[in-house]
Amino acid sequence: MSYITWLRKGIAVFFEYDTPRIVHIESKKVGVTSRFVQACILSYIIGYVIVYQRGYQQFDPVESAVTTKLKGVAYTNFTDDEMAGVPPEWRYLYRRVWDVTDYVVPATQNNAFFVITNIIITPNQNQSTCPEDPKIAGSICDPRQNQCHEGESLPLGHGVNTGRCVQAQPSHGEEPQDKEVFTCEILAWCPLEFDQQPLKDRALLAASANFTVLIKNQIEFPLYEKRRSNILESSNSTYLQSCLYDQETDPFCPVFKLGTIVRLANETYEDIAINGAVMSIIIHWDCNLDHDFMSRCVPIYKFRRLDSADAKIAPGYNFRFAEYYKTGKRTLFKAYGILFVLDVQGRAGKFSFIPFFINLGAGLALLSIATIICDIFVLYVMRDRQIYRDKKYLMVKGSDAFSVYREMDNSEDDDGQQGPAIESENSRAND
């Protein structure tokens, strides 16, 4: 077959037209298959799209504001044996009462709050010179060949090099080393940070699991001009003072124990309190405005952990802050704790003809799938598929048809006029 023939076949495609042909097939197998597929599609349209997904409603996303208020007091008074890793002169810093002002840092955040569960305190720091920590990569030097360059700093260092190489000093609570170690002298906040947790196998403020938080969530659906709060209308100040959230007995109480939040996220408070974590509190609103707004529009709370519980590098959540004094000194705190992130999700829906007919029309268009499935079954699977193919396909050549082969152009009627020709699928196969 020459390339000219292939070219003419390609051109012929632009001069053809296909129109559906209705073939009525009387067959039990085909009929049952067709009705079964149609029933499945109609069930999906009515059951899932229209009823379950409320495809008859127009939805408005929620707009919200969240505020929190924490309460709880803890007293830490551990023995010297329990705080063996802390220098004796600093242990008094951990024996104290902790209230909201102490363990909520910072005091306010946008859609979040942080609670300290463990802490390391380095007191009486002032800006002076001291040897860099030998554990810092690149800090060790040789006094005979001084590699310390004045004004430079190490990526993980505590200060800026003075240019001197001096003997390192053991950190607080560490035994002096048998071998002399020299490190670069730095200008920094000295003494350097003490980086050892006060208790070896537990958190200092493990009692924070009993602290409570009141979550106030104000929501609005601007399209429908509806507003409400997660504090239900039936609630009062006495109720809020005594209620505690429980999935079974009191699912609408906005007062939560921190330990309950962590437990419902399938975590253990005592474990995550040591190094901290990031928890998500999801408040979900799904309101159906075709029913009573106040009784049917209620929040659902969900909880999960956001950071990886199996992280080997930099696990948990911590940060540093300091308290400064007029004397030029400061107390450095390394705070471990749980960051609770509040995420409000939801929508409100109300009946509207536009989404109803859009979803209904899109669903009914899926009924064409039944025809496609049945055609495949009839033309390629059934025993009498050849008979059905003969009835399904019909070739009609018009008087002005584009001919692929030139010699076919001479076919004319007796009166000299070209006439239309009808050719079935079988007759074409027999030619």
Side-chain angles (χ1 to χ4, degrees):
M1 186 179 294
S2 65
Y3 72 92
I4 296 178
T5 303
W6 283 106
L7 179 62
R8 293 179 66 83
K9 280 189 174 184
I11 297 174
V13 174
F14 294 96
F15 301 100
E16 295 176 352
Y17 166 69
D18 294 328
T19 183
R21 185 183 185 186
I22 298 176
V23 179
H24 185 75
I25 300 175
E26 295 183 354
S27 169
K28 295 179 181 178
K29 294 180 180 178
V30 180
V32 170
T33 302
S34 174
R35 298 298 176 259
F36 176 75
V37 175
Q38 290 174 348
C40 291
I41 294 174
L42 288 174
S43 299
Y44 166 77
I45 297 170
I46 298 173
Y48 182 76
V49 176
I50 302 298
V51 178
Y52 182 75
Q53 290 290 335
R54 306 211 304 264
Y56 57 89
Q57 291 185 334
Q58 182 178 359
F59 293 101
D60 185 29
V62 66
E63 294 184 2
S64 75
V66 183
T67 58
T68 59
K69 182 185 293 185
L70 282 101
K71 288 186 177 181
V73 178
Y75 178 50
T76 54
N77 187 24
F78 298 99
T79 65
D80 290 342
D81 292 338
E82 291 174 308
M83 293 193 294
V86 181
E89 65 272 20
W90 292 355
R91 291 174 185 171
Y92 75 95
L93 296 169
Y94 297 94
R95 294 169 177 153
R96 53 175 290 184
V97 173
W98 302 80
D99 63 10
V100 176
T101 309
D102 299 318
Y103 59 74
V104 178
V105 181
T108 60
Q109 294 189 63
N110 186 24
N111 293 332
F113 62 94
F114 176 79
V115 176
I116 295 175
T117 57
N118 210 359
I119 197 166
I120 301 173
I121 305 174
T122 306
N124 300 324
Q125 285 188 319
N126 60 77
Q127 291 200 4
S128 57
T129 59
C130 52
E132 179 61 279
D133 188 347
K135 298 176 184 177
I136 301 298
S139 63
I140 297 178
C141 61
D142 187 346
R144 294 168 296 181
Q145 297 177 350
N146 188 5
Q147 305 97 343
C148 303
H149 302 286
E150 184 178 359
E152 293 185 355
S153 62
L154 298 173
L156 299 178
H158 294 88
V160 179
N161 291 341
T162 63
R164 297 175 58 199
C165 182
V166 297
Q167 185 175 351
Q169 299 175 357
S171 301
H172 288 277
E174 293 185 356
E175 296 293 333
Q177 298 182 358
D178 297 334
K179 183 180 178 181
E180 290 185 346
V181 178
F182 291 85
T183 60
C184 295
E185 184 183 62
I186 57 172
L187 176 64
W189 286 95
C190 301
L192 298 182
E193 177 186 18
F194 178 71
D195 198 8
Q196 184 175 336
Q197 293 183 356
L199 306 179
K200 293 182 179 180
D201 56 354
R202 53 179 168 155
L204 183 74
L205 283 168
S208 58
N210 294 318
F211 295 169
T212 61
V213 57
L214 168 62
I215 300 176
K216 295 187 290 185
N217 179 209
Q218 306 290 334
I219 66 166
E220 180 182 7
F221 301 105
L223 179 63
Y224 300 115
E225 298 181 349
K226 295 288 186 179
R227 294 183 180 182
R228 77 160 309 160
S229 168
N230 66 325
I231 301 177
L232 304 183
E233 297 297 325
S234 59
S235 304
N236 52 53
S237 59
T238 305
Y239 170 74
L240 293 180
Q241 290 175 2
S242 59
C243 81
L244 281 175
Y245 173 84
D246 186 276
Q247 279 186 321
E248 302 296 333
T249 60
D250 202 348
F252 303 124
C253 176
V255 181
F256 302 81
K257 267 190 177 182
L258 301 188
T260 301
I261 295 174
V262 174
R263 176 175 56 82
L264 293 176
N266 298 319
E267 299 288 342
T268 305
Y269 196 92
E270 290 75 13
D271 293 338
I272 68 172
I274 297 174
N275 292 315
V278 181
M279 307 296 297
S280 174
I281 301 174
I282 301 172
I283 308 175
H284 184 75
W285 298 83
D286 191 6
C287 302
N288 189 344
L289 301 185
D290 291 328
H291 301 281
D292 180 59
F293 175 68
M294 300 308 293
S295 63
R296 296 296 185 93
C297 189
V298 292
I300 298 176
Y301 300 96
K302 300 177 183 178
F303 314 94
R304 63 190 180 96
R305 183 174 181 176
L306 295 180
D307 65 314
S308 174
D310 302 321
K312 302 299 181 183
I313 301 175
Y317 183 81
N318 67 80
F319 62 90
R320 295 170 175 83
F321 66 96
E323 292 180 355
Y324 295 88
Y325 309 99
K326 292 181 179 180
T327 57
K329 294 185 177 182
R330 76 174 187 183
T331 298
L332 178 65
F333 300 90
K334 184 177 182 181
Y336 299 84
I338 305 175
L339 177 65
F340 294 90
V341 180
L342 294 142
D343 183 16
V344 181
Q345 305 171 354
R347 62 180 185 173
K350 192 173 184 180
F351 178 81
S352 175
F353 284 103
I354 295 176
F356 173 72
F357 284 114
I358 289 176
N359 287 308
L360 182 62
L364 293 176
L366 293 176
L367 289 174
S368 60
I369 295 178
T371 303
I372 297 173
I373 294 175
C374 290
D375 280 351
I376 294 173
F377 180 69
V378 166
L379 300 177
Y380 298 99
V381 178
M382 292 190 66
R383 182 182 303 174
D384 299 330
R385 55 184 176 273
Q386 190 59 50
I387 298 175
Y388 295 128
R389 287 184 185 180
D390 292 340
K391 301 299 182 181
K392 175 70 175 178
Y393 299 108
L394 182 67
M395 175 73 73
V396 178
K397 279 197 173 183
S399 58
D400 61 342
F402 182 89
S403 179
V404 176
Y405 302 100
R406 293 181 182 276
E407 56 270 18
M408 295 176 63
D409 293 339
N410 296 325
S411 61
E412 298 180 354
D413 291 338
D414 293 340
D415 58 358
Q417 300 285 333
Q418 286 186 334
I422 301 176
E423 185 179 2
S424 68
E425 189 73 20
N426 267 348
S427 63
R428 291 171 55 202
N430 295 330
D431 286 346

